Amino acid sequence: MENSRTMFPFPYQPYNIQEQFMQALYGALEQGKVGIFESPTGTGKSLSLICGALSWLADHEERKRQEAAALLHDGEAALSASTDPSSTTSSSAEPDWITDFVQKKAERDLVSKLKEEELKRKKREERLEMIRNNVQLKYAMKRKNCEDDETFKLLQLSKEEKTEAPEHKEDEELIIAEYESDDELKGKNDEDDELVEEHVTKIYYCSRTHSQLAQFVHEVQKSPFSKDISLVTLGSRQNLCINEEVRSLGSIQRINDCCMEMQKNKHGEKKQHHEEGVKRKRGPAKTVCPYNKTSALQQMRDVVLGTVHDIEQLLKLGRETHSCPYYATRLSIPPAQLVVLPYQMVLHEATRKAAGVQLKGQVVIIDEAHNLSDTLSCIHSAELNGAQLCRAHSQLTQYADRYKSRLKAKNLMYIKQILFVVEGLVQVLGGKWVWVKINLLFQSDPRKCTTRVFSLQLGGFVEKYAGSGVSLHTQTNTNKENRRIEGLNRYLQTLQSNQSTTPEADKVLSASPMMQVEGFLMALTNSNTDGRVVVHRQGTLSDNSVKFLLLNPAVHFTQVLKECRAVIIAGGTMQPVSDFKQELLFSAGVGEERITEFSCGHVIPPENILPLVLCSGPSGQELDFTFQNRDSPRMMDETGRILSNICNVVPGGVVCFFPSYDYSRRIIAHWEASGALSRLSNKKKIFQEPKKANQVEQVLSDFSRCIQRCALDGGGLTGALLFSVVGGKMSEGINFSDDLGRCVVMVGMPYPNIKSPELQEKMSYLDKHLPHVGGRSPGQALIENLCMKAVNQSIGRAIRHRGDYSSIVLCDRRYSRPATLSKLPTWIKARTSTHTSFGPAFAALRKFFLEKKQKQV
């Protein structure tokens, strides 16, 4: 069978660029490449990924079957031939019968292995066929529903028994059992590996948000593969839990802790039930989750594998069948062919292992990957503030004091080790920004600080005793040991007296401080050459923070690249690609020969986009929005005049992006004082990006309705003007299609804050470890690339489909530099024109929309 394709199953006649995309994708998967694929939004990228990748998977499985069948045929032929005595000769010193025996044993083993694999494959296929077609499964699930009343009655009885239990019995569950370190546990779980179901060849598709994943699943459902593919969608407990009592806890940490505690209770009951010759201890009945029953999970797994579901459909299915979607989806991973999951479940090793995701020899597709480097750094960075550290110290101290007579000496030693580290962190929270090498901050290996067990135990301890005799602060003593942290104790008393005065304080107190400490210490296990610890003091201990920064994201991407057969990194806007390759691929040891790039144009006609670079405004004022010039009244006034002219000729919606919230606030205040804002509002109704994320939908809805009303009868208004911020709530993931975004205006260049300590350290690290290219240092290239990535994301909000059209106005003379223009998406760059004076640019803009209006008549 050929290792390439020219025809692909597709729900409609694909565009030429979609066919090219699928062919390039197919080749990259077959050759085991690391592919960087750029396809603008509106070009059908998701369907191209689905049909291209699943076509390869189907062909790959067929090739494997044919190769296995050929090997099996050859093996059986060799076995039958070896039974002929005349065919057996030996040139070695060994007797012929020994050589013959060894040869036949190897051939028999090969044939047996091939037959076993073929049998497994047939069983998987037959089971999937039965799942998809056998109506008996539905009846089985209906029969299962009859058990629900009994299940919940038993659960209620369990709770009632628990409330009647004596207090000293309840405390038993808060005592840490014999703790074994990671080194002590090595080799103890080897036998469990044999019980793990074999993983079939599969494709892992990951994206940034659950809404993006749901959109991808909906595209799969519309594709020609919807009836034949086994797809499973993964999510966190917060997204997939259907136990209302657990969901009501709100915090993801509390939900995780409660779920794991229920699992421990379930396994504890099983262990106690199977132990023979041991008298069962009387004590309180422990709560177990009624949705986590093996038979129910297996039945839900079968339904998940038989039909494509998104997360909402999984939740509905779980409630109907009283099965846990979180654990059922994990059971579905080994036989699934397509696994849809969030970034961190692939990119974070511990999360990956906990979810049961195995990458060896598999394909990973990372979509919306323009921020992949930042995502990797963020996932593996961690921050603690003074309030969290003090609460962790207080709770752990009280725990040790309450149970010191019942704790083993080794566990008390572990607690003291953690307390020592926490006290050291509290003491170091002083002065201005200070960079600290990890090995200087912690002289011992942070991995030996065994916080996980104590995190879980303290969760129950605080939940039970907070507000009932156990305070959230330690008492100040006069002995030498406690005088050492007297300031910490005074702060804890202050924290308790003010702990519920603000929503922010409630949020801090709702999270488990020991879990946060654990996360920070785990982050410190990174190599100290790739990370820094920064301490920031802001005046009060509660606001001071200590933060671990990962400077080299390639460290954690290397394993993904090495284990996977192929990795596809896709996005609507991947430019600039150079830093992406250098920082994530070359630094991870990927050679140029393994990297393949694909970038396609847009499906829109070239005349449907008008990108303009403005070097000066209507009055001739040069547009230079550098930090030194952008606050001048002349520059702000000129920007107001530019917008006023644009609003005169652009119908529908205009979206104007400012480089920062601070500058947006200042320039709008200036326009308000000068009357420019009032003049703008006479032409278009003005909207501003909201401060709170939960208000975004409402603002967008009002913006859209206003434009629709103006199109019918504007009463003098020609549409709406939306002020937004680059990198803000509306610069990513929001579609300003059709009349919502007929013009996108970019005011200035959104360079990051060069004075940021994190950014300075990142630049220093890159300058030290990466080569200089084109006379520019890697640190300087980072600044420019961060800026242009943000610009590309913002201007990509418009033009969302083939029939859409829009203009893009870049207001700053610096956009005219060739190096800057080269970092724009290819399909935009090809149509961009630079204007040193405003007149010709305005004439081109007016002509563009006049022609569109004439075509619509």
Side-chain angles (χ1 to χ4, degrees), residues 15 46 84 113 157 283 323 361 481 569 599 606 646 753 778 784 805 841:
Y15 304 133
S46 295
D84 182 5
K113 183 181 178 182
L157 182 63
S323 307
E481 181 180 356
I569 302 161
S599 179
I646 288 173
N753 180 11
E784 294 177 0
Y805 63 91

Side-chain angles (χ1 to χ4, degrees), residues 18 103 392 452 490 534 574 613 749 781 800 835:
Q18 288 178 315
Q103 181 181 346
R452 180 64 180 167
R490 282 199 302 270
V534 61
M574 295 302 296
V613 174
M749 298 187 71
R800 311 301 289 185
H835 298 271

Side-chain angles (χ1 to χ4, degrees), residues 399-412:
Y399 181 87
D401 288 345
R402 187 176 185 91
Y403 300 116
K404 61 185 176 184
S405 62
R406 299 159 73 181
L407 287 167
K408 296 183 182 294
K410 185 167 68 170
N411 287 337
L412 277 173

Side-chain angles (χ1 to χ4, degrees), residues 771-781 784 817 819 823:
H772 290 230
V773 179
R776 290 183 179 271
S777 70
Q780 184 61 38
E784 294 177 0
R817 298 177 301 198
K823 290 180 169 60

Side-chain angles (χ1 to χ4, degrees), residues 437-542:
K437 285 281 190 178
I438 295 170
N439 58 344
L440 296 179
L441 182 62
F442 294 103
Q443 296 181 359
S444 61
D445 185 350
R447 283 171 288 192
K448 297 190 183 298
C449 296
T450 53
T451 59
R452 180 64 180 167
V453 173
F454 303 113
S455 298
L456 295 175
Q457 298 294 337
L458 275 176
F461 174 75
V462 175
E463 184 178 351
K464 178 182 175 187
Y465 289 108
S468 58
V470 174
S471 62
L472 289 174
H473 66 278
T474 55
Q475 300 297 322
T476 303
N477 297 322
T478 55
N479 61 51
K480 183 177 180 181
E481 181 180 356
N482 281 308
R483 280 201 303 272
R484 179 163 55 91
I485 53 170
E486 190 173 346
L488 181 152
N489 293 327
R490 282 199 302 270
Y491 166 71
L492 286 168
Q493 293 178 21
T494 306
L495 179 66
Q496 188 190 24
S497 63
N498 299 318
Q499 64 185 20
S500 296
T501 56
T502 64
E504 289 78 9
D506 290 338
K507 185 176 179 182
V508 169
L509 292 173
S510 70
S512 165
M514 279 304 299
M515 293 290 284
Q516 291 159 333
V517 170
E518 178 199 2
F520 182 79
L521 295 179
M522 288 301 295
L524 292 179
T525 60
N526 292 285
S527 169
N528 63 5
T529 59
D530 298 315
R532 299 289 184 274
V533 174
V534 61
V535 179
H536 187 208
R537 185 171 182 178
Q538 296 179 312
T540 61
L541 180 58
S542 63

Side-chain angles (χ1 to χ4, degrees), residues 204-499:
Y204 289 101
Y205 171 90
C206 57
S207 193
R208 197 167 50 92
T209 66
H210 283 288
S211 62
Q212 289 167 342
L213 295 175
Q215 186 178 351
F216 179 83
V217 173
H218 295 156
E219 293 291 324
V220 175
Q221 290 171 332
K222 292 187 293 185
S223 77
F225 297 89
S226 60
K227 303 297 183 186
D228 304 316
I229 191 71
S230 295
L231 180 149
V232 58
T233 303
L234 302 184
S236 65
R237 287 182 174 90
Q238 192 174 37
N239 292 111
L240 289 173
C241 178
I242 58 171
N243 187 324
E244 292 302 326
E245 291 189 16
V246 178
R247 285 173 64 89
S248 65
L249 295 173
S251 162
I252 189 169
Q253 289 181 350
R254 285 185 170 182
I255 290 173
N256 286 340
D257 289 351
C258 185
C259 180
M260 288 188 284
E261 185 67 23
M262 286 180 168
Q263 297 309 304
K264 189 175 74 172
N265 295 343
K266 176 185 175 182
H267 295 309
E269 283 187 2
K270 283 184 180 179
K271 182 179 178 183
Q272 202 170 46
H273 178 73
H274 290 294
E275 282 178 350
E276 296 180 3
V278 179
K279 187 176 180 181
R280 182 178 177 181
K281 294 181 181 178
R282 296 189 62 186
K286 296 180 179 180
T287 304
V288 296
C289 184
Y291 300 100
N292 193 10
K293 299 177 84 174
T294 303
S295 60
L297 293 178
Q298 289 174 341
Q299 287 178 346
M300 184 173 176
R301 175 198 62 185
D302 289 347
V303 178
V304 168
L305 291 172
T307 312
V308 176
H309 296 79
D310 65 14
I311 280 187
E312 292 302 319
Q313 293 164 335
L314 286 173
L315 291 173
K316 182 181 178 183
L317 177 65
R319 292 187 182 103
E320 289 174 352
T321 60
H322 285 280
S323 307
C324 174
Y326 179 80
Y327 284 105
T329 52
R330 273 149 182 73
L331 279 178
S332 308
I333 294 174
Q337 296 166 294
L338 178 58
V339 181
V340 179
L341 67 174
Y343 273 175
Q344 59 270 25
M345 285 193 176
V346 167
L347 302 177
H348 191 267
E349 184 180 7
T351 307
R352 190 163 68 235
K353 288 182 176 178
V357 172
Q358 296 182 12
L359 300 182
K360 187 70 175 176
Q362 309 291 20
V363 170
V364 167
I365 298 175
I366 304 173
D367 203 359
E368 302 298 328
H370 57 271
N371 60 350
L372 180 58
S373 179
D374 294 337
T375 300
L376 279 162
S377 297
C378 185
I379 288 174
H380 295 92
S381 297
E383 185 172 13
L384 283 172
N385 61 39
Q388 293 163 341
L389 284 167
C390 292
R391 289 183 64 236
H393 186 279
S394 169
Q395 292 176 8
L396 194 54
T397 300
Q398 290 176 84
Y399 181 87
D401 288 345
R402 187 176 185 91
Y403 300 116
K404 61 185 176 184
S405 62
R406 299 159 73 181
L407 287 167
K408 296 183 182 294
K410 185 167 68 170
N411 287 337
L412 277 173
M413 177 190 72
Y414 287 141
I415 291 175
K416 287 183 178 181
Q417 285 181 346
I418 299 172
L419 283 171
F420 174 78
V421 172
V422 172
E423 289 171 15
L425 286 169
V426 173
Q427 290 175 358
V428 86
L429 288 183
K432 296 182 180 180
W433 286 98
V434 181
W435 291 100
V436 187
K437 285 281 190 178
I438 295 170
N439 58 344
L440 296 179
L441 182 62
F442 294 103
Q443 296 181 359
S444 61
D445 185 350
R447 283 171 288 192
K448 297 190 183 298
C449 296
T450 53
T451 59
R452 180 64 180 167
V453 173
F454 303 113
S455 298
L456 295 175
Q457 298 294 337
L458 275 176
F461 174 75
V462 175
E463 184 178 351
K464 178 182 175 187
Y465 289 108
S468 58
V470 174
S471 62
L472 289 174
H473 66 278
T474 55
Q475 300 297 322
T476 303
N477 297 322
T478 55
N479 61 51
K480 183 177 180 181
E481 181 180 356
N482 281 308
R483 280 201 303 272
R484 179 163 55 91
I485 53 170
E486 190 173 346
L488 181 152
N489 293 327
R490 282 199 302 270
Y491 166 71
L492 286 168
Q493 293 178 21
T494 306
L495 179 66
Q496 188 190 24
S497 63
N498 299 318
Q499 64 185 20

